């Protein structure tokens, strides 16, 4: 028996002004996308922006439904529309942010488990890490080098692709 350890490092910035221009631009797109959320049930508006390898930026926002599980998170709305519009092009980065109509969102917004799994699929597809940029409405910004860091030991079965 051997004990294994998993650790990862990420960067924490005091404000978005400290980011590189490319990360700041993507986060600004995500912040604008917040306004397009359809979230009459949670009143929590999430915006996501995806940068593709061809330079295209595609945004998305959470889309809720009165049959709750039928809604979709902002990250997957952005990611799936980016991939559908750019087949074969790698996803380079995703920025995620949110605003609530009920409380100030002061901590960085981190993606839910299903979105982590969806993002990691596109890393596997292109064999390239996807940079992750996270922020609340205000406060600190986190940048993470790839989704493997947020979803260690993720489900991966290349054999499923063999048919
Ligand atoms: N939501 C996202 O859009 N992304 C996440 O990563 C977590 C949650 C949405 C789903 C729902 O519309 C609202 O936020 C509250 O959970």
């Amino acid at each position: 028996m051997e004990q294994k350890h998993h650790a990862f490092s990420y960067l924490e910035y005091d404000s978005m002004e400290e980011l590189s221009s490319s990360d700041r631009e993507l986060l600004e797109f995500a912040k604008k996308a917040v306004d397009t959320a359809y979230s009459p049930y949670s009143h929590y508006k999430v915006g996501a922006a995806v940068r593709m390898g061809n330079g295209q930026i595609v945004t998305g926002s959470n889309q809720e439904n009165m049959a709750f599980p039928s809604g979709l998170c902002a990250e997957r709305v952005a990611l799936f529309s980016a991939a559908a519009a750019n087949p074969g092009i790698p996803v380079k980065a995703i920025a995620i942010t949110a605003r609530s109509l009920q409380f100030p969102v002061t901590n960085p917004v981190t993606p839910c488990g299903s979105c982590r799994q969806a993002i990691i699929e596109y890393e596997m597809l292109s064999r390239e890490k996807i940079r992750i940029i996270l922020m609340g409405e205000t406060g600190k910004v986190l940048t993470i080098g790839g989704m493997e860091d947020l979803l260690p030991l993720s489900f991966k079965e290349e054999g499923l692709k063999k048919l």
Side-chain angles (χ1 to χ4, degrees), residues 39 42 44 46 62-64 72-75 96 109-112 115:
S39 52
S42 71
Y44 190 73
V46 186
N62 54 329
Q63 301 295 314
E64 296 185 350
L72 198 61
C73 293
E75 295 90 321
I96 307 163
V109 177
T110 54
C112 80
C115 289

Side-chain angles (χ1 to χ4, degrees), residues 46 81 101 107 144:
V46 186
S81 42
L101 303 183
N107 288 318
I144 297 155

Side-chain angles (χ1 to χ4, degrees), residues 7-64:
F8 78 101
S9 66
Y10 58 97
L11 297 178
E12 183 185 83
Y13 297 86
D14 283 334
S15 76
M16 65 188 288
E17 279 63 49
E18 289 178 23
L19 293 173
S20 67
S21 57
S22 155
D23 284 357
R24 195 169 56 242
E25 180 191 37
L26 201 61
L27 189 51
E28 273 159 5
F29 270 90
K31 282 189 170 271
K32 279 194 204 111
V34 159
D35 295 324
T36 68
Y38 172 64
S39 52
Y41 307 104
S42 71
H43 310 294
Y44 190 73
K45 294 164 166 278
V46 186
V50 169
R51 184 186 297 283
M52 302 301 288
N54 58 7
Q56 228 190 78
I57 291 177
V58 179
T59 61
S61 55
N62 54 329
Q63 301 295 314
E64 296 185 350

